[in-house]
Amino acid sequence: MTELAESLLRGLGTGSVYALLALGFVIIYKATRVISFAQPAFMLAGAVLVTYLAGPVGFWAAVPVAAVLTAGLALGVERVAVRPMVGRPAFVVAIITLGVDVAVRVVVNGFIGLDVRHVGDPWGLRTVTIPGTGIDLQQRHLAALLATAVLIVGLFAFFRYTRMGLAMRAAAYDQEAALAQGVSVGGVFALSWGLAGGLAAVAGTFAAAGASVDAALWLIALTALPVIILGGLDSLPGAVVGGLAVGTIQELTASYQQHAPWLGGNVSVISPYVLMLLVLLVRPYGLFGTREVERV
């Protein structure tokens, strides 16, 4: 029972990182109807920025500063590489974002260098014991879960109660109607990329907590793809639920696959994709995705 509880808590901590990444994917998709493949690069860039800033300013200041700087990088990418492609087919813009991902990662890898770099997190792999249960939980997983909860609450409050948040919701629903009402759709596009970049930076920081930052860190972002498909491409709650579900399934599989040696090793790596396929067989638009109805 203790092993099960610890696996569930680890899964929620890992799923928090996936949820932050998935939220960035969904925010951009809702605004532009394009899946941005540049998120892995922003995730890596944010983590590398923290490794440089943690020494001079401390970890707690480095994370928000890195998130803001990465958001600025994402804004620049949107303005230079993506904005001129408005009106082109969605797959063309998606290919552009894939090229941006490769280009940004090549530049960022140069800043990683040959030395081992750490984000300087205050938790590492240290654990805390939940009183009265004997259940151990890594501090980094607890911190990731709490930080994700705060960011999610802030995001939903932003979308619901602020003027720009309402503009983003209007543009996501109907861009032409939003333009007719004076909404700056270009500003919505830029802000969506900025938010996604900031979220990716925070996710990269927690993904690297307790480990070194290297060029392979971006591979973690690939798991966010089954997350957004599982939850629904245009659903923010779906991104959160999907991220936590995928993280939990992955950790449970990693913990219990030893009892089924016939499955082979590293089954947990493919478990998110198996879960995605099972859900799509029942709900083709994901758990919370909007069903598209076309008249014929």
Side-chain angles (χ1 to χ4, degrees), residues 13 24 31-32 39 45 47 69 86 103 106 121 123 143 150 176 183 224 229 241 244 250 265:
T32 65
Q39 285 296 95
L69 292 176
V86 171
V106 167
D121 66 282
W123 314 289
V150 171
E176 292 184 0
V183 173
I229 296 173
V241 173
L244 297 178
Q250 198 170 39

Side-chain angles (χ1 to χ4, degrees), residues 15-113:
S16 298
V17 175
Y18 297 153
L20 289 176
L21 286 167
L23 281 170
F25 278 106
V26 172
I27 287 173
I28 291 179
Y29 181 80
K30 284 178 69 69
T32 65
R33 293 298 166 182
V34 171
I35 297 177
S36 169
F37 293 103
Q39 285 296 95
F42 296 145
M43 173 186 174
L44 180 62
V48 172
L49 278 171
V50 173
T51 67
Y52 278 93
L53 295 171
V57 303
F59 176 80
W60 298 109
V63 175
V65 171
V68 172
L69 292 176
T70 307
L73 172 63
L75 285 171
V77 166
E78 188 277 335
R79 190 68 183 88
V80 173
V82 179
R83 186 77 64 86
M85 296 293 107
V86 171
R88 300 291 182 87
F91 77 90
V92 173
V93 185
I95 294 299
I96 293 294
T97 66
L98 189 60
V100 167
D101 173 71
V102 174
V104 172
R105 282 195 288 109
V106 167
V107 174
V108 173
N109 288 343
F111 287 93
I112 296 176

Side-chain angles (χ1 to χ4, degrees), residues 86-270:
V86 171
R88 300 291 182 87
F91 77 90
V92 173
V93 185
I95 294 299
I96 293 294
T97 66
L98 189 60
V100 167
D101 173 71
V102 174
V104 172
R105 282 195 288 109
V106 167
V107 174
V108 173
N109 288 343
F111 287 93
I112 296 176
L114 299 177
D115 297 328
V116 177
R117 306 201 63 85
H118 298 276
V119 296
D121 66 282
W123 314 289
L125 298 176
R126 293 191 297 273
T127 61
V128 293
T129 302
I130 300 177
T133 64
I135 297 173
D136 292 328
L137 172 64
Q138 287 187 5
Q139 294 182 23
R140 66 190 181 106
H141 287 150
L142 178 60
L145 189 58
L146 292 176
T148 301
V150 171
L151 288 173
I152 289 171
V153 171
L155 273 176
F156 279 88
F158 169 77
F159 285 124
R160 185 172 182 83
Y161 298 111
T162 68
R163 185 180 182 86
M164 194 61 197
L166 292 174
M168 293 184 71
R169 289 168 58 194
Y173 183 76
D174 190 325
Q175 290 184 8
E176 292 184 0
L179 281 169
Q181 295 298 319
V183 173
S184 173
V185 174
V188 168
F189 289 175
L191 183 57
S192 66
W193 275 77
L195 288 174
L199 290 171
V202 177
T205 301
F206 283 114
S212 60
V213 177
D214 56 31
L217 180 66
W218 70 276
L219 293 172
I220 295 175
L222 295 181
T223 310
L225 293 176
V227 168
I228 61 175
I229 296 173
L230 171 67
L233 277 173
D234 59 350
S235 173
L236 294 176
V240 177
V241 173
L244 297 178
V246 165
T248 301
I249 292 297
Q250 198 170 39
E251 288 295 332
L252 288 174
T253 304
S255 297
Y256 290 99
Q257 68 181 12
Q258 58 184 330
H259 302 297
W262 53 273
L263 288 174
N266 295 326
V267 181
S268 61
V269 176
I270 65 170

